[in-house]
Amino acid sequence: MLVHVWQLENGAKLVAEPIAGLHSAAVGVYIRVGSRHEDEIMAGSSHFVEHMLFKGTHRLSARDIAERFEAMGGQLNAFTSREHTCVYARVLDEDIDAATEIIFDMLFNSCFAERDFATEREVVLEEISMYEDTPDDLIHDVFASAMWQGQPMGIPILGTRDNLEAMSRDMLFAYYRQHYHPSQMVIAVAGNVEPERIRERMERLGEGRGAAPQQTEIAAAQAAEPFIRTVEKDTEQVQLCIGLPGICWHDTERYAQNLFNSIFGGGMSSRLFQRLREEMGLAYSVHSYTNMYSDTGMFGVYAGTGPGKLTALLEALKDELSLLEQNGIGAEELARAKKLMKTSVYLGLESVMNRMTRLARGILMYDEVTPVEEVIARYEAVTPERLQQYIHRLLGLQPLSLAAIGPAEVMPGLIDEFGRLYRED
């Protein structure tokens, strides 16, 4: 399908992909602001603003917004990450104009009423409580806060209780007005749409916003020295993240990284899942993962296990890492991973939401949308030798770091075992 990209007069970038034969369409507006753009005082504001967008505009109440989307049978949602915030919807193609109009109203005309601000702050505080009661989610923030200690990259996206309780409505509204300008937005549309008509409508909806305010400069992320970070919590399992700095999304080896992650711990046939869970029964959930950002990244392994299995799990993981460095990955295993990636890419094209997301990420990260055939070709170009070079580069960056959540009595022994296995030559 042909992808259309425009720089709109209001400063936004619009990318659209018409797909004939469907009865649906998806639209997403990505704003270049996330938790990384916050200073210490405003930590949690990007996520808080996302919540406030749903609380009503000068034209529509929160209930109006919900009822109009439900009347369409559509889906409206949003998320905040470290570098972006997104509001998105999926509707019938005949409702794309109405959905887009509501989204733009939310983005540019939200009221931030004092009463709604106070109510929603309590909602976000409850969200933090829920998160803290979910250690298998919390462990990833513990690891990130240690990896980028003292930097916005390491602050939880939800913020902290102290910050939210000290924040005023006017502080949050000023933050919203600073960042929510068309010049900071990428608008992506996919589905049964007419691109030129979509472009004309987007121009009208975003006009009259005035000059773009000065944006916050973000400092380059600097990964901390190798660390061990533990959080004492009365849990049945010990939650572990073991990892190290990875690559950013501009790195040409991201295709090798995705293949490596799939093989090592990305699915049920992966080495970690088969060895640590299926063969040894050391964990119910175990996987590897990658996070890539504009100038930094992270590679990690997550596992949740009982206190009595910690040593065996750490030893088995150490063995798997040693096998990777010594023997690499064979051609047959790599071929299976390539087929998995190819299948994932092509099946993803059957969803208008996936297509919309792909368009937006392409423009946000690379200022272009890479053709699907080229993406597949880049995966096919990864050889066992190139994959081995990536593995040596990754594991040679620095020693592995550890974050753990679990009972206090377990932590001293865990620290000793991790040091013995991963820090002693």
Side-chain angles (χ1 to χ4, degrees):
M1 294 292 181
L2 180 62
V3 173
H4 304 261
V5 181
W6 294 278
Q7 178 76 54
L8 303 182
E9 291 183 9
N10 57 38
K13 280 205 166 179
L14 170 64
V15 54
E17 183 179 20
I19 310 168
L22 298 181
H23 292 289
S24 62
V27 56
V29 182
Y30 286 72
I31 306 95
R32 299 179 191 272
V33 61
S35 60
R36 187 177 182 181
H37 296 82
E38 302 160 0
D39 59 26
E40 188 175 350
I41 294 174
M42 296 301 291
S45 349
S46 301
H47 174 257
F48 198 170
V49 167
E50 175 213 314
H51 275 242
M52 291 301 297
L53 297 178
F54 289 78
K55 300 305 290 183
T57 71
H58 298 290
R59 185 172 65 92
L60 300 173
S61 68
R63 182 167 185 168
D64 290 335
I65 293 170
E67 287 181 347
R68 292 195 182 196
F69 266 93
E70 288 192 0
M72 297 179 206
Q75 302 166 350
L76 172 68
N77 213 330
F79 66 84
T80 305
S81 70
R82 285 187 163 82
E83 295 188 323
H84 306 109
T85 303
C86 175
V87 181
Y88 62 93
R90 179 174 180 264
V91 293
L92 292 177
D93 53 355
E94 64 193 51
D95 293 320
I96 190 66
D97 287 349
T100 303
E101 184 174 347
I102 294 173
I103 288 175
F104 271 66
D105 194 27
M106 294 165 60
L107 292 172
F108 296 135
N109 302 308
S110 284
C111 295
F112 283 66
E114 189 71 53
R115 183 180 63 181
D116 292 332
F117 171 84
T119 301
E120 205 60 26
R121 173 162 51 193
E122 294 304 313
V123 172
V124 177
L125 289 172
E126 288 299 324
E127 188 176 357
I128 291 174
S129 296
M130 181 179 68
Y131 197 66
E132 290 174 345
D133 285 340
T134 314
D136 53 335
D137 287 334
L138 181 62
I139 187 62
H140 299 289
D141 268 351
V142 174
F143 192 93
S145 68
M147 174 75 76
W148 294 292
Q149 186 171 4
Q151 305 169 63
M153 280 290 292
I155 298 174
I157 293 171
L158 299 184
T160 66
R161 294 181 183 280
D162 290 343
N163 282 90
L164 290 169
E165 289 171 351
M167 196 178 298
S168 71
R169 178 268 179 195
D170 290 344
M171 291 166 64
L172 189 66
F173 188 73
Y175 183 87
Y176 157 69
R177 295 298 293 174
Q178 177 185 2
H179 292 284
Y180 277 65
H181 187 276
S183 62
Q184 298 303 308
M185 297 178 179
V186 171
I187 307 161
V189 183
N192 190 17
V193 297
E194 299 174 18
E196 283 294 340
R197 192 176 63 80
I198 288 290
R199 182 189 65 79
E200 293 173 4
R201 185 164 188 80
M202 296 301 179
E203 289 279 20
R204 292 197 304 273
L205 289 172
E207 65 185 0
R209 302 307 304 170
Q214 184 175 357
Q215 295 302 306
T216 304
E217 293 292 330
I218 57 174
Q222 301 293 329
E225 293 297 315
F227 58 85
I228 296 176
R229 176 71 58 86
T230 60
V231 175
E232 296 176 359
K233 203 173 185 68
D234 187 16
T235 58
E236 293 296 323
Q237 279 193 320
V238 180
Q239 306 294 323
L240 303 173
C241 270
I242 298 171
L244 72 177
I247 63 176
C248 71
W249 67 48
H250 296 289
D251 198 301
T252 56
E253 289 308 299
R254 61 187 182 273
Y255 297 96
Q257 174 182 258
N258 290 344
L259 290 166
F260 163 68
N261 183 60
S262 175
I263 292 166
F264 186 60
M268 293 179 65
S269 66
S270 67
R271 293 186 178 193
L272 287 183
F273 192 92
Q274 286 297 313
R275 175 84 188 282
L276 274 65
R277 172 176 158 149
E278 298 297 274
E279 294 179 17
M280 303 182 71
L282 296 176
Y284 175 77
S285 179
V286 57
H287 63 266
S288 63
Y289 63 97
T290 63
N291 289 328
M292 291 188 291
Y293 303 100
S294 56
D295 64 345
T296 188
M298 183 180 74
F299 174 81
V301 173
Y302 161 79
T305 193
K309 298 179 179 178
L310 281 170
T311 297
L313 187 144
L314 292 174
E315 289 176 345
L317 175 59
K318 175 74 171 178
D319 290 344
E320 290 300 318
L321 291 169
S322 297
L323 284 172
L324 276 174
E325 292 191 277
Q326 295 168 13
N327 302 332
I329 291 171
E332 183 177 344
E333 202 170 10
L334 178 56
R336 288 200 302 270
K338 288 179 179 179
K339 180 61 180 292
L340 178 62
M341 288 297 172
K342 180 178 179 179
T343 302
S344 177
V345 169
Y346 280 123
L347 290 182
L349 296 178
E350 297 184 2
S351 162
V352 289
M353 284 296 297
N354 287 346
R355 281 182 180 256
M356 180 275 289
T357 301
R358 176 176 175 272
L359 298 176
R361 288 173 62 84
I363 298 300
L364 282 167
M365 297 177 183
Y366 312 114
D367 206 28
E368 65 177 10
V369 180
T370 306
V372 172
E373 293 74 17
E374 187 174 337
V375 172
I376 300 300
R378 291 180 184 180
Y379 279 120
E380 292 292 351
V382 177
T383 62
E385 294 74 22
R386 183 175 159 191
L387 200 55
Q388 188 66 3
Q389 289 173 359
Y390 165 76
I391 292 170
H392 284 308
R393 172 187 170 189
L394 174 70
L395 299 180
L397 286 175
Q398 64 177 327
L400 289 164
S401 292
L402 167 71
I405 298 176
E409 63 271 17
V410 173
M411 294 306 172
L414 171 60
I415 293 171
D416 289 344
E417 284 298 286
F418 185 80
R420 176 180 69 84
L421 290 165
Y422 293 92
R423 296 290 173 81
E424 295 179 6
D425 294 330

